[in-house]
Amino acid sequence: YGCLPGHGVKLADAIQAYIQAVLTGPLCWVELPDDAWPDNIDFRKFRRPVVRLVKALYGHPDSGTMWEQHCDWKVRELDFIPVGEEWPSMYLQLLLVIYVNDLKLAGPEENLTKGWEMLRSKLNIEPETDLGLYLGCVLSKGSAKLNDGTPVSTMTYDMEGLLKLSVEKYLDIVGKDTKLKNVSTSSLPEETKKHKSRAPCPGNPKSKVSGPWCSHEFDPGAPKFD
């Protein structure tokens, strides 16, 4: 969506996300470290003092659920509409993706700033940034041309850094003097416009086929989309 003409994508993190949510469910009591007690309370006169946990502190088994529900309620109050059960934590108005405390917002450039302002009216969020590291993957926009010369916008998901760390970990285990072979990439670019996998199924062109994931009915005899 962010690759459409005049559209963009911005990233931001929620600040101390979990403790923005109230902890519900069974009551939970926790011990505080000495330096966390207020000066006006002589906690040392108690054998093992505890306090009531009221925020969804990281480490509690239900804190992630509490934050997810809190975040969902807040963005719905702003009229963001969930895409559907099959795409949890994705919302429409602008296209909003929320993964734990990482937020990504895509849409028309002139609406992105207003979108972040709306979100900050309900959630504590850091200033948005341009594309970069998101969920361990470096995102970047670019441009390219199709085989027929049509210009298109592109989105690159670069996980080279993780691959290098994996190789370094492998060498730590088997020995740094291990020689690695040069091999071809396993993901060569290809033209898939006429590939057989684009057709819903072979067989009777008059019969309709239901897609197993989207439940949409396709007509195998109909012209394919370019």
Side-chain angles (χ1 to χ4, degrees), residues 164-175:
K164 289 181 177 179
L165 288 175
S166 299
V167 173
E168 290 174 2
K169 182 65 175 179
Y170 172 78
L171 292 176
D172 286 340
I173 296 173
V174 302

Side-chain angles (χ1 to χ4, degrees), residues 52-207:
R52 169 86 180 279
L53 182 63
V54 296
K55 292 291 188 177
L57 187 66
Y58 182 81
H60 188 284
D62 288 332
S63 58
T65 302
M66 298 303 104
W67 158 250
E68 182 179 343
Q69 292 176 350
H70 172 82
C71 195
D72 180 66
W73 293 332
K74 294 303 180 181
V75 298
R76 285 172 184 256
E77 289 177 1
L78 297 169
D79 295 328
F80 279 88
I81 303 170
V83 171
E85 293 182 359
E86 68 278 14
W87 289 96
S89 298
M90 291 188 66
Y91 302 84
L92 292 174
Q93 192 182 79
L94 294 165
L95 181 59
L96 172 64
V97 182
I98 305 173
Y99 188 88
V100 190
N101 66 325
D102 296 308
L103 288 78
K104 180 163 59 171
L105 194 64
E109 291 278 4
E110 65 272 16
N111 295 340
L112 287 178
T113 299
K114 179 62 177 178
W116 287 112
E117 290 175 353
M118 291 171 58
L119 291 170
R120 288 195 185 90
S121 70
K122 298 291 184 179
L123 299 168
N124 191 8
I125 302 173
E126 293 180 349
E128 67 270 21
T129 65
D130 292 327
L131 286 174
L133 186 65
Y134 183 77
L135 304 183
C137 184
V138 179
L139 310 182
S140 60
K141 282 184 68 172
S143 60
K145 288 186 178 181
L146 302 180
N147 289 353
D148 63 359
T150 302
V152 293
S153 295
T154 63
M155 184 69 68
T156 299
Y157 296 79
D158 184 357
M159 298 192 69
E160 183 178 346
L162 179 60
L163 177 59
K164 289 181 177 179
L165 288 175
S166 299
V167 173
E168 290 174 2
K169 182 65 175 179
Y170 172 78
L171 292 176
D172 286 340
I173 296 173
V174 302
K176 293 287 188 180
D177 57 345
T178 301
K179 293 184 178 180
L180 302 177
K181 297 180 180 179
N182 289 324
V183 296
S184 299
T185 177
S186 59
S187 303
L188 294 174
E190 59 179 325
E191 174 56 63
T192 61
K193 179 178 179 181
K194 297 182 179 180
H195 196 278
K196 61 182 180 181
S197 63
R198 290 177 65 93
C201 78
N204 186 355
K206 295 183 179 180
S207 64

